[in-house]
Amino acid sequence: MGSIKIEQLIEKYLDAETTLKEEAVLQDYFVNSKVAPHLEEYRALFGYFAESKNERYTKTIQLKTQKKNWKWLSVAASVVLLFSVYTGYNNIQPSEPEFSDAEIAEAQIAFEELKGAFQILSKNLDKGTAAIGYLGEYETTTNKIFKQPVK
Amino acid sequence: MNQSEFLNMVMPFKDKVFRFSKRLLVSTEEAEDATQELFLKLWKNREKISSYKNVEAFAMTMTKNYCFDRLKSKQASNLSLVHSNYKENGTSLDKKTNLNDSVSIVHQLIAKLPEQQRMIIQLRDVEQYEYEEIGKMLDIKQTAVRVALSRARKTIREKLIKQHNYGIN
């Protein structure tokens, strides 16, 4: 392409009246062909534009969806918790009236026996504490015999 | 919309989003963070997205707004975004621009342009969007896009000619 045509295009280019096609022609001329000396400064310009286009975003784009998963996990956990509480409650409720009279009577007897056993145990404990009472007496008599350290 | 459908939809313009945010935020790392953050936002709003005609344009608008927010918060914390604040961790482009002086000069000249012009140069001359699309993305009129673009191109050209003639940096 003749440099006169290029000069005309350059004029249009500077006035921002070129189309994208015309700009592509300019770019091609300045990057790929021998440039007339008086148009030398445009070579750097179009060379720069051509080169800039090659810069890439090399990292991978991360779309963090893990956050969301955690949220759903907590929802699921609370559902499980509620469900288990509900079923657990239902299991306990109907179990009470299921005992037969014989069983209740048996339990009553066992309870009485246990009560007797505990009474015996507490009586024996009382004996023990009564015996400890003597120790108090021992303490007061030793205090009389030995001199108390003066503070 | 599931993940792979979403990714298929947004993948074609992920590099554009990245380059656009880099143009605004300057640092590669900041731009990478912004890109990641932006796609996460899009993912969260995926139900809304399907109702948009042009998801790409919508994404670019979001990128612009997000980067502006980042820049504001930087200024608020007294951290000015000067190019020298950032160690570029050698992407291929940076290495190349260091090798090729005249190309890196263009990079610096664009970086000195006002934000609006910088965005329009990026969207037009690098990403090759139509004037109409750019107008929608930046929420300005097409004529305003053309005026700003013309100004930006002329500024860069003048400075390039100056440097070409006198070799001033």
Side-chain angles (χ1 to χ4, degrees):
Chain A
M1 188 174 289
S3 63
I4 293 167
K5 180 81 195 292
I6 291 294
E7 272 171 51
Q8 284 171 349
L9 274 183
I10 283 282
E11 280 308 310
K12 273 177 86 181
Y13 172 80
L14 290 175
D15 291 330
E17 278 164 3
T18 37
T19 62
L20 285 176
K21 255 189 191 166
E22 288 168 331
E23 284 170 23
V25 169
L26 281 175
Q27 178 131 2
D28 183 62
Y29 172 79
F30 284 108
V31 173
N32 296 323
S33 52
K34 216 164 175 270
V35 177
H38 66 289
L39 295 173
E40 187 64 28
E41 67 267 12
Y42 293 104
R43 210 167 55 138
L45 186 62
F46 285 98
Y48 173 77
F49 291 146
E51 215 166 284
S52 297
K53 234 171 283 178
N54 294 328
E55 194 168 14
R56 297 272 178 268
Y57 179 71
T58 47
K59 296 193 170 174
T60 46
I61 292 167
Q62 285 174 340
L63 306 170
K64 286 174 221 152
T65 45
Q66 276 174 343
K67 233 181 194 173
K68 217 179 168 188
N69 285 344
W70 284 113
K71 214 193 272 171
W72 282 111
L73 193 72
S74 68
V75 169
S78 57
V79 166
V80 167
L81 189 70
L82 277 175
F83 182 73
S84 61
V85 165
Y86 176 74
T87 51
Y89 183 71
N90 274 359
N91 280 347
I92 290 163
Q93 281 299 80
S95 68
E96 268 183 273
E98 270 174 19
F99 294 114
S100 64
D101 287 349
E103 274 176 324
I104 290 170
E106 206 175 287
Q108 195 70 38
I109 291 161
F111 174 67
E112 291 300 334
E113 272 177 14
L114 190 69
K115 220 158 82 175
F118 276 133
Q119 264 161 4
I120 291 163
L121 185 69
S122 80
K123 256 182 217 160
N124 283 328
L125 271 178
D126 279 348
K127 271 185 202 164
T129 46
I132 288 168
Y134 296 121
L135 282 176
E137 192 61 30
Y138 174 75
E139 177 96 343
T140 49
T141 42
T142 48
N143 282 354
K144 277 178 200 163
I145 294 163
F146 297 111
K147 247 189 183 172
Q148 292 302 301
V150 185
K151 280 177 190 174
Chain B
M1 197 187 305
N2 64 27
Q3 273 203 29
S4 63
E5 278 171 351
F6 174 78
L7 286 175
N8 281 337
M9 192 176 70
V10 300
M11 271 304 147
F13 55 85
K14 74 167 170 38
D15 294 325
K16 292 183 184 180
V17 166
F18 171 63
R19 291 192 290 252
F20 189 42
S21 40
K22 194 182 169 188
R23 183 70 64 199
L24 283 167
L25 299 172
V26 180
S27 120
T28 305
E29 277 166 39
E30 288 264 339
E32 278 169 354
D33 287 351
T35 310
Q36 166 63 44
E37 205 53 43
L38 195 97
F39 281 107
L40 203 61
K41 271 188 179 180
L42 280 177
W43 170 246
K44 279 178 188 161
N45 291 314
R46 59 190 176 281
E47 301 308 326
K48 273 188 239 162
I49 284 175
S50 36
S51 65
Y52 286 104
K53 269 186 193 164
N54 192 341
V55 180
E56 187 173 332
F58 176 67
M60 294 308 259
T61 308
M62 271 180 81
T63 309
K64 182 202 86 178
N65 291 336
Y66 182 78
C67 290
F68 276 18
D69 285 350
R70 294 291 305 154
L71 288 169
K72 258 186 212 160
S73 72
K74 285 270 169 203
Q75 275 170 352
S77 61
N78 270 340
L79 234 171
S80 63
L81 271 167
V82 183
H83 193 274
S84 58
N85 273 3
Y86 293 98
K87 282 255 181 209
E88 305 273 346
N89 60 347
T91 59
S92 61
L93 180 73
D94 296 319
K95 277 180 199 156
K96 275 186 204 157
T97 50
N98 285 338
L99 288 174
N100 193 339
D101 246 13
S102 59
V103 167
S104 87
I105 286 168
V106 176
H107 183 84
Q108 284 165 24
L109 289 179
I110 294 175
K112 279 179 198 157
L113 290 173
E115 249 163 24
Q116 180 92 310
Q117 292 182 21
R118 233 192 306 162
M119 287 191 294
I120 292 172
I121 278 277
Q122 174 72 19
L123 293 174
R124 178 68 183 191
D125 280 329
V126 180
E127 310 300 357
Q128 290 162 335
Y129 286 113
E130 293 286 354
Y131 296 119
E132 196 194 342
E133 287 177 299
I134 298 171
K136 272 184 196 157
M137 286 170 191
L138 304 183
D139 197 24
I140 51 175
K141 283 183 183 161
Q142 262 192 64
T143 47
V145 174
R146 283 175 192 262
V147 168
L149 184 62
S150 170
R151 240 173 238 163
R153 282 170 174 174
K154 281 176 180 166
T155 310
I156 296 169
R157 184 194 69 145
E158 269 166 40
K159 289 188 176 161
L160 270 179
I161 288 174
K162 257 188 203 165
Q163 274 173 349
H164 197 242
N165 290 346
Y166 309 111
I168 305 164
N169 265 317

